[in-house]
Amino acid sequence: MKPMPRILIVEDEPAIAELIAVNLRHGGFDPVVAGDSVAAQRELDAVLPDAILLDWMLPGQSGISLARHWRKQARSKSIPILMLTARGDEPDKVAGLDAGADDYITKPFSTQELLARIRAVLRRRAPEPDSDSVTVAALVLDAATHRISFQSRELKLGPTEFKLLHYLMKHAERVHSRSTLLDKVWGDHVFIEERTVDVHVKRLREALGAAGPMVETVRGAGYRLTAVPAAAAAGRGAALQSAA
């Protein structure tokens, strides 16, 4: 029998935490509740959950700070995090996504929406049976071994950034809108906002280091991965003119 996905609920209000836990059990999940950052870290150290529901406002260390901490740790950096908060303004959502959250759920929310979002992040986390290798200039991605290198140096990417880069490399030199990337990389999941793409592109560029400029922003259109970034092409053109 397949084990139920383990969900860590980090929520300091016992009534809300218990309500979420009951609904998760009925939805086929195995919930574990922690009331603050210390308890949450203890639970995570004991057994890694399949996903984390993380309240923004916690006693002591905030949910935002906790998300940033977990994203920096090798053991927990790939665990999906869904931020729970009553703060629904766009700057707050952006802050949550920038901190490392995979999704952002505004209170109050319906049980069905919560369950759907959890299932969605778990689907996105599941690896796809893809074993091809793609090369664009000096950037090489091997899907079978989940390895990426640039100029023979290995790079480390999170699971979402890996999937995003894989798609961009397989369709290099084309411009992809945010909605297209959401559909192709995240799947046709109605809850994810287009701003999520910008956050993950930023993370992807940072992880690529010197290869980051290969991921270009096309104003008003979206993103593309190119073998010759515009900045490099401009530099070569200037050099040719000087030589002439």
Side-chain angles (χ1 to χ4, degrees):
M1 184 176 177
K2 188 177 179 180
M4 294 186 294
R6 183 182 181 89
I7 310 298
L8 175 59
I9 304 167
V10 188
E11 169 63 63
D12 65 317
E13 295 188 36
I16 295 177
E18 182 56 28
L19 180 61
I20 293 173
V22 168
N23 285 311
L24 289 185
R25 289 191 194 97
H26 289 163
F29 297 99
D30 176 22
V32 178
V33 176
D36 56 36
S37 59
V38 175
Q41 187 64 57
R42 185 167 57 245
E43 292 290 350
L44 192 143
D45 289 341
V47 180
L48 280 179
D50 292 287
I52 300 171
L53 293 179
L54 180 60
D55 186 30
W56 181 307
M57 302 299 291
L58 292 171
Q61 191 174 11
S62 70
I64 287 285
S65 176
L66 201 53
R68 288 197 183 101
H69 170 72
W70 284 337
R71 282 291 176 253
K72 292 177 182 177
Q73 306 304 309
R75 187 168 179 267
S76 56
K77 68 179 181 180
S78 63
I79 301 174
I81 297 175
L82 298 91
M83 190 73 72
L84 302 176
T85 177
R87 307 167 71 138
D89 294 337
E90 183 178 357
D92 294 322
K93 292 182 180 181
V94 171
L97 293 168
D98 279 337
D102 295 273
D103 203 353
Y104 190 102
I105 306 175
T106 305
K107 299 176 182 177
F109 47 81
S110 72
T111 299
Q112 293 306 313
E113 178 184 353
L114 177 63
L115 294 176
R117 291 193 182 213
I118 294 172
R119 294 188 187 106
V121 296
L122 292 178
R123 282 198 304 271
R124 295 200 300 272
R125 185 190 186 200
E128 293 185 354
D130 200 343
S131 58
D132 62 340
S133 178
V134 193
T135 301
V136 178
L139 188 62
V140 180
L141 182 149
D142 189 330
T145 61
H146 213 272
R147 287 179 176 167
I148 304 152
S149 64
F150 180 65
Q151 296 177 343
S152 300
R153 288 188 175 185
E154 189 167 349
L155 305 173
K156 300 295 183 182
L157 268 68
T160 302
E161 286 72 39
F162 183 93
K163 198 172 179 181
L164 176 59
L165 178 63
H166 193 187
Y167 180 78
L168 290 172
M169 289 182 69
K170 288 179 72 174
H171 305 86
E173 307 301 339
R174 301 182 193 174
V175 178
H176 306 279
S177 68
R178 290 170 178 81
S179 60
T180 297
L181 291 174
L182 282 174
D183 183 41
K184 300 298 184 181
V185 178
W186 280 262
D188 53 351
H189 171 37
V190 298
F191 300 117
I192 293 295
E193 299 179 6
E194 291 190 359
R195 179 69 177 90
T196 302
V197 176
D198 301 332
V199 173
H200 284 284
V201 167
K202 177 184 175 184
R203 289 187 202 164
L204 174 59
R205 285 179 177 139
E206 291 172 351
L208 289 176
M214 292 176 68
V215 181
E216 293 186 328
T217 300
V218 181
R219 184 170 295 181
Y223 297 102
R224 81 171 149 230
L225 186 129
T226 178
V228 183
R236 290 180 187 178
L240 289 173
Q241 288 182 358
S242 298

